[in-house]
Amino acid sequence: MPELTELTAVQLVDGYRKGEFSPVEATRAALERAEAIQPEVNAFVRLLADEALTQARASADRWRRGEPAGLVDGVPVTVKDILLLRGAPTLKGSKAISEQGRWDEDAPSVARLREHGAVFLGKTTTPEFGWKGVTDSPLNGVTRNPHDPSRTAGGSSGGAAAAVALGAGPLALGTDGGGSVRIPAAFCGIFALKPTYGRVPLYPASAFGTLAHVGPMTRTAADSALLLDVIGAPDARDWSALGAAPGSFAAGLSGGVHGLRVAYSPTLGGQVAVQPAVAAAVRGAVERLADLGAYVTETDPDLTDPVDAFHTLWFSGAARVTQHFGPHQRALLDPGLREICEQGARYSALDYLAAVDVRMELGRRMGHFHDSYDLLVTPTLPITAFEAGAEVPKGSGHRRWTGWTPFTYPFNMTQQPAASVPVGTDGDGLPVGLQIVAARHRDDLVLRAAHAMDEAGVTGGGS
């Protein structure tokens, strides 16, 4: 039998049900793995070993009685340190937030996991307030890539991605406002889904508004579907949350891709320069999709890079996050964050509404595009992981992280479901991600296609 840290959540639940091993054994293995990887990778801001083992023992008792609490009873999970976890401080990578506080509330996604009996291993690293596409912060330092610690894990859910990739829990909660589950998934070689906006309730509300999503990060699409079945339930604290999903995402995985209309856009119409190794890996995976019965057409969506509008929305949100900070707190901020906050504070309401207009037009165009195509496939990123501790690759000429993430943030603006699927490596052994995008509310199609790739051995995942 594989090591417990190598098993998926689906496999763990099956093993618990059959009595092959217990949640206590799985939790101890995950905690040992987390402690082993922490010195080199820095995936965690806080491990909750005692609490996790207490939860695991309670889960083991339920399984012995044949009365599991829910779909993921006894499965180890990590929580990005942007989301509230009862009993643990949520400092969001910032020295400007005090540890003092009651910390007595769960975020909606965390609350649903707790109801289903999940075991919480700890909180994972984030850049300060999740502001950029790599993971380093003044409070917690640099999070490194599990395939090459000299490289970045990506961000802003970099700790979550590194933990999953290295076996420190098969399930992780991340957040994504411009690519923040998909970017580190691509760099670390795991699967991650940014669901349709509102599918997973969020509370407290993000200052980044309706750009911000909560999403599952796992090794396989099947695990993400299972996790989405848990965290996708409504929560009254989020006024913008969707109602209950029409069915189980896990139950809908088996449809395959036969007959699906897939648009393959390798460069968004020549707008993005993609590294040759990335382009080759993605193209090879797309060819396999065609072999599996999808109708693949190389074509591009009708969109131009909305980066200026995204910056207006994103930087304004960052300015709002720090609006109440005094001079001492501002001095503690990541210098890059302080810079975009200053820029965001200069935008007017009319500037913001003009960016919203760009966003609505982008959504209209993508809605029309999906009248003709079920799925859009692109590279997740045009590059593989670069040096750790930098916001942009050395010599790239980019000013901000959005310069090297042109495939991800447009789909936060349109609120569409989008996933990153691992599809190979470059010449240095660094993972390459393929992005699958569907129309709003068609998370099921994204998961179904990714699962078909898993089952066919196209991805780094599998059953």
Side-chain angles (χ1 to χ4, degrees), residues 154-433:
S156 62
S157 305
V164 169
L166 291 171
L171 303 179
L173 290 179
T175 63
D176 189 315
S180 289
V181 301
R182 291 161 289 155
I183 295 166
F187 277 178
C188 294
I190 68 165
F191 178 86
L193 172 70
K194 178 190 75 67
T196 299
Y197 178 79
R199 172 46 53 214
V200 181
L202 179 61
Y203 173 85
S206 172
F208 298 108
T210 56
L211 294 172
H213 303 58
V214 177
M217 305 180 72
T218 61
R219 290 196 292 271
T220 66
D223 269 10
S224 278
L226 175 67
L227 183 49
L228 190 58
D229 278 342
V230 173
I231 65 177
D235 191 292
R237 293 173 292 174
D238 183 351
W239 65 271
S240 64
L242 299 174
S248 164
F249 292 104
L253 288 173
S254 61
V257 298
H258 186 80
L260 290 182
R261 302 164 300 168
V262 176
Y264 167 45
S265 179
T267 62
L268 293 180
Q271 296 182 78
V272 184
V274 179
Q275 285 180 352
V278 173
V282 172
R283 184 173 290 276
V286 170
E287 290 171 354
R288 293 294 304 279
L289 272 175
D291 293 340
L292 293 172
Y295 297 118
V296 177
T297 304
E298 187 166 332
T299 189
D300 303 301
D302 177 24
L303 59 85
T304 53
D305 188 353
V307 67
D308 292 336
F310 179 81
H311 282 169
T312 299
L313 300 170
W314 193 252
F315 297 175
S316 296
R320 177 62 175 159
V321 167
T322 59
Q323 184 179 28
H324 64 285
F325 285 179
H328 173 69
Q329 288 172 298
R330 289 185 180 277
L332 297 174
L333 295 176
D334 179 329
L337 174 60
R338 190 163 57 241
E339 184 177 315
I340 71 162
C341 289
E342 291 168 357
Q343 185 172 341
R346 293 193 291 268
Y347 293 126
S348 69
L350 289 178
D351 294 330
Y352 192 93
L353 290 173
V356 171
D357 286 343
V358 171
R359 185 179 190 182
M360 290 191 291
E361 172 60 16
L362 190 66
R364 183 195 68 79
R365 292 183 183 185
M366 287 308 302
H368 181 68
F369 182 80
H370 284 291
D371 284 339
S372 301
Y373 299 99
D374 300 303
L375 298 173
L376 169 66
V377 171
T378 74
T380 306
L381 297 167
I383 59 175
T384 52
F386 53 90
E387 61 270 22
E391 182 185 348
V392 300
K394 188 180 298 182
S396 67
H398 298 310
R399 175 75 179 117
R400 295 265 77 105
W401 62 272
T402 44
W404 52 270
T405 60
F407 292 111
T408 59
Y409 57 78
F411 303 108
N412 292 79
M413 297 185 76
T414 61
Q415 303 188 340
Q416 294 171 249
S420 182
V421 181
V423 292
T425 58
D426 69 3
D428 295 322
L430 297 169
V432 172

Side-chain angles (χ1 to χ4, degrees), residues 84 106-116 120 173 235 237:
L84 295 177
D106 286 330
S109 51
V110 175
R112 301 294 85 75
L113 280 164
R114 197 181 297 278
E115 291 164 3
H116 280 257
F120 296 103
L173 290 179
D235 191 292
R237 293 173 292 174

Side-chain angles (χ1 to χ4, degrees), residues 56-147:
R57 292 184 191 103
S59 172
D61 287 341
R62 291 191 293 271
W63 279 107
R64 276 193 293 268
R65 297 195 306 269
E67 299 173 353
L71 297 176
V72 293
D73 199 344
V75 177
V77 62
T78 64
V79 179
K80 183 181 180 181
D81 199 36
I82 292 289
L83 299 168
L84 295 177
L85 173 65
R86 192 174 73 218
T90 299
L91 304 183
K92 304 182 179 183
S94 182
K95 291 182 176 180
I97 296 179
S98 171
E99 281 199 34
Q100 303 305 311
R102 295 174 62 181
W103 308 114
D104 58 357
E105 191 169 21
D106 286 330
S109 51
V110 175
R112 301 294 85 75
L113 280 164
R114 197 181 297 278
E115 291 164 3
H116 280 257
V119 173
F120 296 103
L121 295 179
K123 303 295 291 291
T124 54
T125 51
T126 175
E128 196 164 18
F129 301 108
W131 80 271
K132 60 184 175 179
V134 294
T135 300
D136 58 72
S137 72
L139 180 64
N140 301 121
V142 177
T143 297
R144 298 178 179 277
N145 194 291
H147 298 267

